Amino acid sequence: MGMSGDSIYREIILDHYQNPRHRGTLDPHDYSYEDSNPLCGDEVRIDARVKDDVISEIAFTGQGCAISQASASILMELAHGKTLDEVKAIDKEELLDEIGIELSPARLKCALLSLKVLKAALYGIDHANEELDEI
């Protein structure tokens, strides 16, 4: 991708970082999980409510670098209003496509933390680790 395309995605990341979508907690919730990336200190918690097998509400809290927090915000937009099966089908390529810029291996872990947390909430932690371990 050219320089201008890259800068558009950087602006999107900055916007999601500065103005996160679906930020907060849900109590009560049907699903909740939190995890961190000890290498850089990123933390993400995701809460979700499900009605008729659809994510009716979803929210995240956390702290960390712009990539981890923007990625969580982008993922909330991807997941909101989808069925559980559709959300379970979101893979790392889809999320990375939405982020839109090349990331170093260390930054990949930042970008994918929220996906790992969401999968852990919906499936249980073992499946989430299996799916994302190939990073």
Side-chain angles (χ1 to χ4, degrees):
M1 179 168 298
M3 213 40 178
S4 62
D6 223 31
S7 72
I8 289 169
Y9 282 108
R10 289 180 196 284
E11 286 178 29
I12 291 169
I13 291 167
L14 193 57
D15 181 50
H16 274 274
Y17 178 65
Q18 293 173 337
N19 307 293
R21 282 56 150 189
H22 301 276
R23 189 160 183 87
T25 56
L26 299 176
D27 189 20
H29 49 259
D30 297 306
Y31 297 95
S32 183
Y33 194 78
E34 62 186 288
D35 202 357
S36 62
N37 178 349
L39 296 175
C40 62
D42 295 329
E43 298 174 1
V44 173
R45 172 186 163 160
I46 295 175
D47 298 331
R49 288 188 188 139
V50 176
K51 184 176 183 183
D52 300 326
D53 200 45
V54 171
I55 302 238
S56 59
E57 292 182 69
I58 192 163
F60 83 99
T61 56
Q63 60 186 17
C65 70
I67 296 288
S68 76
Q69 300 303 295
S71 175
S73 176
I74 290 167
L75 182 61
M76 298 302 94
E77 288 194 321
L78 282 174
H80 186 253
K82 289 199 164 96
T83 67
L84 288 176
D85 285 343
E86 288 171 328
V87 173
K88 288 176 179 180
I90 295 171
D91 61 12
K92 66 181 187 176
E93 285 76 23
E94 184 175 354
L95 182 57
L96 292 173
D97 283 349
E98 291 291 323
I99 293 168
I101 60 171
E102 281 295 314
L103 297 170
S104 68
R107 287 289 178 225
L108 274 177
K109 291 206 180 293
C110 301
L112 296 174
L113 176 61
S114 58
L115 184 59
K116 178 181 175 185
V117 169
L118 182 57
K119 299 274 183 161
L122 299 180
Y123 280 115
I125 188 62
D126 293 336
H127 180 82
N129 281 334
E130 248 175 58
E131 186 167 323
L132 297 173
D133 269 349
E134 74 247 17
I135 300 167

